[in-house]
C-alpha cells in the first residue's frame, strides 16, 4: 500500500505541470464544446453576453447567509458569464438559451481534466497488453463522461423550471421525462465518475509499484 | 451563531469594503425580481415599478427617518432564477406563479438558516384560466382527447406544465400515449406558428398572444382543471423581520396597482404595452372588467389548498422538498398593510370571483383603433356595430365576447359562433358549440359569417 502511494506521489510530482495544463485546457475546451452544441442545436449564434461580479457576489452570500452549511450550495450556483440568444419576438426579449460559465463547475472540470491527465500518464506506462490498455482508456473515458455530463451548464429558458444539468440533456434531445428522472442522480453520477477515475489511478499505481516478476529460468543443457 | 458572524466578518473584512455600504443603517437596499412577460405578476412588478408605487409607500419616520432607499428591479422570464437570486440574497422580494412559488418556499426550507414568506397574492383566476393548450390555427385538433399519440410541448416546471399533466390525467391519457417536449414559451409559440408541433401548453399571456396574432387556437383552457391559478409575492424572512414596514409598503403598492388598473383598464394596458412589449389587446383580455385576472392580493384558504395540491404534483414529478405551509404563509404583513390603507381585509378575503357568475350579462366590446373601446349589450348589437365598422373600412384592434360555458372573455375572432334563428352564442371550444347548436337547432358559423348577417346591401 505504501509503495502504491509512493509511486502515485512520484507520478503526480513528475506530471503536475502537465496535469495543471490539461485541467485548464479541459475546463475551457468544455465551455467551447457546449457553446458549439448550443449553436448547432438551435441553429443560431448567440447575441448577448452578460458578465457577473462573481467575487463580490460570493462575498455577499457569505456575509448574508447565517449558516455555514447553506453557503456552499448557494455559491455553487453563482455565475461568472452568460452567453446566449435573446429572442425579441415577444415582449422586451427573452433569453431563449444560454451558456452559463459557472466557476464551481469550472473547478470540477479542471479537476477532471487533471485527473484524466494523470490516468493517461499512468496508462501510457501500463504495458501489459494492448487489450488491457484499451480497457483502461475506456474506463478513463467513462469516468470523464459521467463527470463532464453532470457538470454541463447550458440552460434553456424553460420558464419557471429551476435550471439543472438535465436541461442540457433535454436540450440535446433526450426525452423530458427521462431527463427529469435522471435529475436526482446528478451527484451520484459525478461521484461515480470520479470514483471510477480514482479507482483506476490507484489500480495503475498499485500495478506499477508491484515488484517485477522474476524471469522464468530456462532449462540448462548441462 | 454570533461566533459564526464574527469569524466570517474577520475573514471577509478586507474584501467587503464595497459591500459595507449596502449594509449600512441609513441605506436600505430593496431588490425585487419580477417577470414582465407574465401578466399575472404585473401588479407586484412592472406597474409598481413604473408608477413608483413602492417609493410612495416606503416608511420615512421612526427608525426609517434617516433611511435612504435603493430600490432595484430585475426582470426575469421565469420564477426559477428569481429563487436562486433570492437564495444568494441578491433579491429580497420575488414575484412569481404558483408552481415556482412552491419551489421557492420548499428550496428555502431545505436550507438550515434561510426562509421565505409568502406574504401576498397579485391576482387569480378561480378556475385556472391563464394556462391553456394551443394548437396551430389550421390544425384539425379541437379537443384534448385528440392529443393521444401527438407531440405536445410545454415549459417544464411551469404552471402550464402542471396544468397539462393534470388535464391529461383527467382525460385518461397516460404520459406513454403522447410525446412531451420541453419548450420555452417563445420557442413553443414559434413552433405553433410554423405548425412544427401538434400542441403547446403555456401560461399567461402566451396562449392569447398566439390567438391574437392568428397563429394559434385554444383547445383546452386551464379553467377546465378547476384548480385556481394564482401568482404571489415571496420575501426573504430575514429582510421581513428587519424591515416589516417595507414589506407592508410593498403590499400597499400591490393593492394600489390593482386599483389603478381597475380605474381605467384601457389606459393601463396601453401603458403596460410600452413597458412590457406585450400587445395591449392581449393585456386587455386579462385586465379589463370580465378579464381573466382578478386583481386582489389577499391570501385565501382556496389558494393555500391550490398551492398544496400543486406541491403534491411537483412531489410526484420532481421530488421537490417538503414545504411547511403554516410556516411559509404569513398574513401578518398584509393585514397590517390593509389596516393602514383603511381597507377591510377580511371582507376582501371573503370575496371570490367566479367568472361564470361574475361575467354573466357583461357587454361585448369592440376596440376601435381610433375611438377606443365601445360596449354592446347583445351579440346582434355587437355584430351590427362590426358590420358598420367594416362598411367604412375602419380599423379594429380587437373584439371581445364571452364563453357561454365558462364565462371567460374571448377574442371575437377566435370564438366558435353558433347562430340559432336570430340569436347568437359564443364558445371557447368547438365541441360545446356543436352541442349547443344541436340542442337549439342552430348551426356553427364563422365570425365573418355572423358579421355578414348584418351587412346591409346597397
Amino acid at each position: 500500500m505504501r509503495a502504491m502511494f509512493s509511486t502515485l506521489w512520484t507520478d503526480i510530482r513528475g506530471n503536475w505541470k502537465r496535469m495543471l495544463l490539461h485541467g485548464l485546457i479541459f475546463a475551457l475546451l468544455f465551455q467551447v464544446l457546449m457553446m458549439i452544441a448550443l449553436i448547432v442545436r438551435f441553429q443560431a449564434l448567440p447575441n448577448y453576453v452578460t458578465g457577473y461580479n462573481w467575487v463580490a457576489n460570493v462575498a455577499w452570500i457569505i456575509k448574508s447567509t447565517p449558516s455555514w452549511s447553506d453557503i456552499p450550495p448557494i455559491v455553487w450556483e453563482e455565475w461568472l458569464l452568460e452567453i446566449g440568444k435573446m429572442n425579441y419576438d415577444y415582449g422586451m426579449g427573452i433569453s431563449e438559451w444560454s451558456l452559463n460559465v459557472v466557476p464551481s463547475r469550472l473547478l470540477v472540470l479542471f479537476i477532471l481534466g487533471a485527473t484524466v491527465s494523470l490516468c493517461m500518464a499512468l496508462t501510457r506506462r501500463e504495458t501489459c497488453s494492448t487489450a488491457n490498455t484499451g480497457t483502461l482508456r475506456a474506463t478513463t473515458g467513462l469516468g470523464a463522461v459521467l463527470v463532464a455530463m453532470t457538470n454541463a451548464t447550458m440552460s434553456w429558458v424553460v420558464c419557471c423550471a429551476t435550471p439543472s444539468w438535465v436541461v442540457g440533456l433535454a436540450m440535446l434531445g433526450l426525452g423530458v421525462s427521462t431527463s427529469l428522472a435522471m435529475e436526482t442522480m446528478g451527484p451520484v453520477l459525478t461521484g461515480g465518475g470520479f470514483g471510477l477515475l480514482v479507482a483506476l489511478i490507484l489500480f495503475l499505481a498499485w500495478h506499477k509499484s508491484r515488484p517485477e516478476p522474476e524471469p522464468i529460468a530456462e532449462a540448462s543443457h548441462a | 451563531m454570533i461566533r459564526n458572524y464574527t469569524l466570517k466578518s474577520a475573514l471577509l473584512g478586507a474584501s467587503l469594503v464595497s459591500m459595507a455600504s449596502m449594509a449600512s443603517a441609513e441605506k436600505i437596499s430593496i431588490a425585487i425580481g419580477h417577470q414582465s412577460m407574465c401578466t399575472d405578476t404585473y401588479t407586484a412588478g412592472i406597474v409598481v415599478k413604473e408608477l413608483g408605487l413602492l417609493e410612495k409607500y416606503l416608511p420615512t419616520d421612526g427608525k426609517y427617518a434617516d433611511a435612504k432607499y435603493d430600490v432595484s428591479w430585475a426582470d426575469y422570464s421565469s420564477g426559477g432564477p428569481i429563487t436562486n437570486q433570492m437564495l444568494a440574497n441578491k433579491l429580497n422580494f420575488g414575484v412569481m406563479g404558483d408552481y415556482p412559488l412552491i419551489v421557492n418556499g420548499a428550496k428555502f426550507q431545505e436550507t438550515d438558516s434561510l426562509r421565505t414568506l409568502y406574504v401576498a397574492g397579485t391576482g387569480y383566476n378561480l378556475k385556472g384560466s391563464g394556462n391553456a393548450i394551443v394548437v396551430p390555427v389550421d390544425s384539425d385538433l379541437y379537443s384534448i382527447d385528440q392529443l393521444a399519440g401527438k407531440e405536445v410541448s410545454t415549459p417544464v416546471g411551469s404552471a402550464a406544465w402542471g396544468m397539462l399533466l393534470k388535464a391529461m390525467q383527467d382525460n385518461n391519457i397516460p404520459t406513454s400515449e403522447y410525446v412531451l417536449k420541453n419548450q420555452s414559451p417563445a420557442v413553443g409559440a414559434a413552433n405553433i406558428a410554423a405548425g412544427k408541433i401538434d400542441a403547446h401548453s403555456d401560461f399567461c399571456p402566451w396562449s392569447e398572444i398566439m390567438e391574437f396574432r392568428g397563429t394559434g387556437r385554444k383547445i383546452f383552457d386551464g379553467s377546465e382543471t378547476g384548480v385556481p391559478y394564482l401568482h404571489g409575492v415571496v420575501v426573504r424572512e430575514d429582510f421581513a423581520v428587519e424591515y416589516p414596514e417595507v414589506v407592508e409598503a410593498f403590499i400597499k403598492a400591490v393593492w394600489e396597482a390593482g386599483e389603478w388598473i381597475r380605474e381605467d383598464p384601457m389606459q393601463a394596458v396601453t401603458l403596460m404595452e410600452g413597458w412590457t412589449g406585450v400587445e395591449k389587446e392581449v393585456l386587455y383580455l386579462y385586465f379589463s372588467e370580465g378579464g381573466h385576472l382578478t386583481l386582489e392580493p389577499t391570501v385565501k384558504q382556496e389558494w393555500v389548498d391550490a398551492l398544496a395540491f400543486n406541491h403534491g404534483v411537483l412531489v410526484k414529478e420532481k421530488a421537490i422538498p417538503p414545504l411547511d405551509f403554516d410556516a411559509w404563509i404569513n398574513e401578518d404583513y398584509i393585514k397590517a398593510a390593509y389596516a393602514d390603507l383603511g381597507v377591510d381585509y377580511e371582507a376582501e378575503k371573503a370575496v371570490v370571483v367566479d367568472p361564470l357568475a361574475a361575467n354573466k350579462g357583461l357587454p361585448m366590446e369592440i376596440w376601435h383603433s381610433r375611438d377606443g373601446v365601445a360596449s354592446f349589450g347583445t351579440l346582434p348589437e355587437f355584430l351590427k356595430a362590426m358590420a358598420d365598422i367594416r362598411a367604412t373600412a375602419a380599423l379594429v384592434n380587437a373584439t371581445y365576447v364571452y364563453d357561454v360555458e365558462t364565462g371567460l372573455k374571448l377574442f371575437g375572432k377566435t370564438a366558435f359562433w353558433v347562430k340559432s334563428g336570430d340569436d347568437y352564442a359564443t364558445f371557447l371550444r368547438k365541441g360545446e358549440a356543436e352541442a349547443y347548436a344541436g340542442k337549439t337547432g342552430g348551426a356553427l358559423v364563422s365570425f365573418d359569417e355572423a358579421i355578414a348577417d348584418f351587412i346591409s346591401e346597397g
Side-chain angles (χ1 to χ4, degrees), chain A residues 58-201:
Chain A
V58 168
W60 178 240
I61 290 166
I62 294 170
K63 187 174 188 303
S64 61
T65 307
S67 170
W68 282 102
S69 64
D70 289 335
I71 293 171
I74 298 173
V75 170
W76 189 257
E77 300 300 331
E78 276 304 300
W79 299 359
L80 177 66
L81 203 62
E82 182 186 1
I83 308 167
K85 170 81 168 30
M86 194 73 78
N87 182 333
Y88 293 102
D89 291 344
Y90 301 92
M92 297 303 187
I94 284 182
S95 171
E96 207 164 278
W97 54 263
S98 63
L99 168 70
N100 311 113
V101 179
V102 186
S104 61
R105 309 302 204 286
L106 283 177
L107 179 66
V108 173
L109 293 167
F110 170 78
I111 294 169
L112 174 63
T115 310
V116 168
S117 177
L118 181 60
C119 273
M120 297 310 284
L122 288 164
T123 309
R124 270 196 297 275
R125 296 184 192 184
E126 178 56 53
T127 53
C128 290
S129 69
T130 310
N132 268 358
T133 308
T135 308
L136 295 172
R137 284 188 176 150
T139 309
T140 307
L142 178 63
V145 165
L146 286 174
V147 177
M149 180 178 71
T150 49
N151 284 279
T153 50
M154 293 172 287
S155 80
W156 189 12
V157 177
V158 282
C159 282
C160 309
T162 307
S164 87
W165 68 273
V166 296
V167 173
L169 295 181
M171 268 173 22
L172 295 173
L174 196 67
V176 174
S177 304
T178 315
S179 300
L180 288 174
M182 291 177 73
E183 189 174 25
T184 52
M185 294 165 65
V188 177
L189 292 174
T190 304
F194 270 124
L196 209 57
L197 290 170
V198 169
L200 183 64
I201 286 168

Side-chain angles (χ1 to χ4, degrees), chain B residues 19 49 124 149 198 205 251 279 299 303 313 316 324 338 342 346 352 385 390 447:
Chain B
M19 293 296 175
K49 179 192 173 196
Y124 66 90
D198 294 315
I251 296 168
E279 291 91 335
V299 183
W303 303 171
V313 172
K316 198 174 163 189
D324 178 352
Y338 267 61
E346 294 303 333
V352 178
R390 287 202 174 172
F447 185 34

Side-chain angles (χ1 to χ4, degrees), chain B residues 389-402:
Chain B
I389 290 171
R390 287 202 174 172
T392 62
L395 293 176
V396 169
N397 287 355
T399 57
Y400 304 95
V401 296
Y402 293 91

Side-chain angles (χ1 to χ4, degrees), chain B residues 404-420:
Chain B
V404 170
E405 292 290 326
T406 61
L408 286 176
K409 199 164 195 166
L410 310 171
F411 287 121
K413 66 176 183 178
T414 59
F416 289 98
W417 288 75
V418 176
K419 183 183 179 186
S420 309

Side-chain angles (χ1 to χ4, degrees), chain B residues 117-120 235-237 239-249 251-252 330-339 345:
Chain B
L117 300 173
Y118 177 90
V119 291
V235 60
R236 270 179 68 118
E237 188 180 43
F239 183 89
V241 168
E242 193 170 1
Y243 305 116
E245 295 83 1
V246 173
V247 179
E248 289 164 25
I251 296 168
K252 288 176 198 171
N330 186 312
E331 287 185 84
D332 295 345
Y333 300 95
I334 192 168
K335 283 179 178 174
Y338 267 61
Y345 178 76

